[in-house]
Amino acid sequence: MSLAIDTTDSGTTSLFTTPDPSPSTEHKADVFPNPYHSPVTNYSGPLNLFAMPDLSIEADHKSQDVFVNPFHSKAVAQELITTARALVYPRGKGVYATDETPDAIAAVLHTAAGGTGNPPSGTSDDEKEKRRKWREAAYNAIPSEHISGVILHSETLLTFQLAPILSSKGIIPGVRANGELRPLPHYQHEFIVQGLDGLLPELQAARIAGARFSKWRCPIACTSAARGLPSEAALDAHAETLAQYASLSQQAGLVPIVEPDVEFTEDADLARSAWVHERAIARIYERCRVHGVLLEGSLIKPSFPQPGMKHPSREGVSPEDIALATATTISRAVPSAVPGVLFLSGGLAPKVATAYLDATNKLVNAAGPESPLARLPPLSFSFGRALQGDAAQCWIRGDEEGTKEALGTWARACWLGAQGQGE
């Protein structure tokens, strides 16, 4: 989508964008031990000609509970903080991820229909219309009492223009920002994510179309220490990419959600996975500080630390084991300024993903005031497949009532899990 630019008589340049003001006595450890331990910006100068105009220049700003550095507009900072908090409060609410590519959603619907073999290409007109109808049905069905936001693919936001359905229900629309993967030079089995070039105007277009947050995913390889993944080069590349993205997103007036997705298909045990998560997340925030990211106006969407599918311990790991590793990792690596955490399901079965979420929040609920877990922000969800799998099967059969019921059932289950009240 192109944005018109007007050059005035004074020689300054401005975007045709409209500022939007809305937006037992047995001792149990509460810390997961690592194995090596014993048991839209108005800049004062230089003016950024491609930034979102400030929401208010004369600004009677709301009182803030965050000190804003001078390179952030107070009005934009306030909106970013308000939006970020609205995505994770009241506690329990979470985000519905619907940002699959056209080919990926074609595969989802093909599987839901019981199809075998290769799914159809997502580029055909018939498939395009099918996914538009599916998205529209899902957005109309999703319950606003349990869902705070929805991540849209750019096609859904800009071409199908379905954000108003969500906004009318009080659900915040967001947009997928990351591009495609390409191999990391000299490092087999690792990738970097493309899309930073030209990202700012794309995010500005998304804001004009109604988005108020964005999301960027980086996949991170994870193997046993002997096999050595992830590499330092990959961790550095992902941290730098996510930090640059987050800064650009805030410049466009969108809350950034950084997504370090640590894969679990290989031979890492739980301790190795937790260690990789901690290193990756900590490094991301190191780079975010360098790039001036307003942490209070951002969120993170991590995976759950877990043994890899090729590690023998995977079958015996419990949700409580996952919860301890997860909560400890978050307490060590995520700065307290970040308003909340939205876990991804990452291909886990719905019951497994919600069990991990629930166990983690139950652990936090039980933490005493002296525990670091008592100081964690809301630990919520940003699930896709774990929310919509049953609903897609109903919809493909033409059962709209079943679609609504299935989405409502799983949204409520996630909402309960995000409070540690799962059944």
Side-chain angles (χ1 to χ4, degrees):
M1 176 176 178
S2 61
L3 296 177
I5 296 186
D6 171 54
T7 302
T8 65
D9 292 340
S10 63
T12 60
T13 305
S14 62
L15 294 174
F16 283 119
T17 55
T18 303
D20 187 339
S22 64
S24 103
T25 59
E26 180 186 2
H27 172 72
K28 295 183 178 179
D30 62 357
V31 173
F32 180 83
N34 284 314
Y36 51 79
H37 292 297
S38 60
V40 71
T41 307
N42 186 23
Y43 292 88
S44 59
L47 179 65
N48 187 328
L49 299 179
F50 299 100
M52 201 70 173
D54 202 345
L55 299 180
S56 172
I57 294 182
E58 319 215 344
D60 177 17
H61 301 302
K62 298 177 182 177
S63 60
Q64 297 182 352
D65 56 5
V66 172
F67 178 83
V68 177
N69 287 315
F71 48 82
H72 289 294
S73 156
K74 290 185 178 180
V76 176
Q78 182 62 46
E79 184 186 324
L80 291 170
I81 293 168
T82 300
T83 301
R85 291 175 178 176
L87 288 167
V88 292
Y89 287 98
R91 185 182 176 199
K93 280 195 168 187
V95 172
Y96 177 26
T98 69
D99 57 313
E100 304 98 329
T101 64
D103 283 344
I105 195 59
V108 168
L109 297 178
H110 179 71
T111 301
T116 58
N118 293 327
S121 169
T123 60
S124 71
D125 289 343
D126 287 346
E127 286 299 314
K128 183 176 181 178
E129 180 61 13
K130 182 188 293 186
R131 63 179 174 269
R132 186 197 65 78
K133 290 180 177 179
W134 156 243
R135 293 301 190 206
E136 187 172 8
Y139 296 166
N140 279 314
I142 202 73
S144 60
E145 61 265 34
H146 303 140
I147 300 297
S148 57
V150 175
I151 309 171
L152 285 68
H153 189 274
S154 58
E155 177 189 62
T156 314
L157 179 69
L158 301 175
T159 304
F160 300 159
Q161 299 182 354
L162 296 183
I165 296 176
L166 301 168
S167 299
S168 68
K169 301 171 67 170
I171 296 174
I172 305 169
V175 66
R176 165 180 168 156
N178 57 275
E180 300 304 316
L181 305 179
R182 69 174 177 86
L184 179 65
H186 310 301
Y187 290 89
Q188 193 176 13
H189 308 304
E190 293 184 288
F191 298 88
I192 54 179
V193 186
Q194 302 179 96
L196 288 175
D197 291 345
L199 180 61
L200 181 56
E202 293 175 2
L203 293 176
Q204 290 172 326
R207 181 182 167 88
I208 293 168
R212 289 299 176 265
F213 70 95
S214 66
K215 187 268 296 185
W216 184 292
R217 171 183 176 266
C218 281
I220 300 173
C222 181
T223 67
S224 61
R227 292 180 58 196
L229 295 179
S231 66
E232 292 297 314
L235 289 175
D236 284 342
H238 290 317
E240 178 64 19
T241 297
L242 285 168
Q244 288 190 37
Y245 143 73
S247 181
L248 288 168
S249 183
Q250 291 187 337
Q251 192 173 337
L254 303 181
V255 170
I257 301 179
V258 296
E259 182 180 355
D261 184 359
V262 179
E263 58 107 24
F264 58 90
T265 60
E266 294 298 329
D267 62 343
D269 61 11
L270 179 57
R272 172 68 176 176
S273 178
W275 178 232
V276 169
H277 276 80
E278 184 179 336
R279 289 170 66 206
I281 294 170
R283 202 165 302 195
I284 290 165
Y285 285 114
E286 288 173 6
R287 300 309 301 169
C288 281
R289 289 186 177 94
V290 170
H291 287 278
V293 175
L294 179 71
L295 298 184
E296 294 85 354
S298 71
L299 297 167
I300 186 170
K301 179 179 176 176
S303 43
F304 291 102
Q306 56 195 290
M309 296 177 70
K310 296 179 182 179
H311 195 275
S313 67
R314 184 170 180 86
E315 293 301 318
V317 71
S318 69
E320 290 72 26
D321 296 330
I322 301 296
L324 185 57
T326 298
T328 302
T329 297
I330 298 302
S331 71
R332 290 174 176 168
V334 177
S336 61
V338 177
V341 178
L342 300 161
F343 290 104
L344 61 92
S345 55
L348 293 171
K351 288 185 178 180
V352 174
T354 51
Y356 289 175
L357 179 68
D358 182 57
T360 303
N361 278 284
K362 278 182 165 64
L363 178 65
V364 171
N365 291 347
E370 75 285 353
S371 170
L373 306 188
R375 301 189 291 272
L376 291 178
L379 306 179
S380 194
F381 62 92
S382 177
F383 294 169
R385 282 169 285 185
L387 267 172
Q388 69 185 16
D390 291 348
Q393 292 180 21
C394 293
W395 181 81
I396 210 74
R397 296 195 303 264
D399 182 1
E400 293 197 9
E401 190 58 36
T403 301
K404 183 176 181 178
E405 182 178 348
L407 278 169
T409 296
W410 281 111
R412 185 175 186 276
C414 293
W415 175 73
L416 288 171
Q419 300 173 76
Q421 297 179 5
E423 301 169 355

